[in-house]
Amino acid sequence: MIPRAPHVPVATTWVGKDERVRADSGAMFYATAKRGSRVKKGDKVGWMTDYVGLPLGDVRAPQDGAVTFIRPVPSLSKGATIVTVAQIYGRTPPVYVKP
């Protein structure tokens, strides 16, 4: 045995199904949430404008959970992922359901 303090493992947080918000058209996106932040369904995670700066609307979280991806650059093309939110199970893994 090596004479040193024991290694304490990092606490695990289990996440589940994720949901994404995709762009309907080309636009500019400005984030208000950060990756890793926890959101509730309907929370504002950013807003979009057209290419000349006219507002198109807010981008809202599709479900409760943690932001696992948020677009790092403003420009969007149609179908581009804007934000991904995953369910949070906490320290207990979800019940396994055979596919």
Side-chain angles (χ1 to χ4, degrees):
M1 297 304 260
I2 299 173
R4 63 182 167 111
H7 173 70
V8 179
V10 177
T12 302
T13 299
W14 293 85
V15 295
K17 178 179 175 261
D18 64 359
E19 288 192 20
R20 300 168 189 231
V21 176
R22 296 185 185 268
D24 295 339
S25 63
M28 302 294 282
F29 170 70
Y30 303 95
T32 57
K34 294 185 178 190
R35 188 179 48 170
S37 59
R38 294 186 181 211
V39 293
K40 297 280 186 193
K41 182 176 183 172
D43 284 354
K44 181 178 174 181
V45 294
W47 76 92
M48 292 185 353
T49 67
D50 64 8
Y51 291 122
V52 294
L54 298 174
L56 295 176
D58 295 336
V59 177
R60 305 257 175 207
Q63 68 179 358
D64 295 351
V67 175
T68 57
F69 171 82
I70 192 147
R71 190 151 187 94
V73 295
S75 59
L76 291 171
S77 59
K78 183 176 180 176
T81 299
I82 300 171
V83 65
T84 303
V85 178
Q87 294 174 329
I88 299 175
Y89 291 106
R91 297 186 190 268
T92 306
V95 176
Y96 175 75
V97 178
K98 187 175 180 178

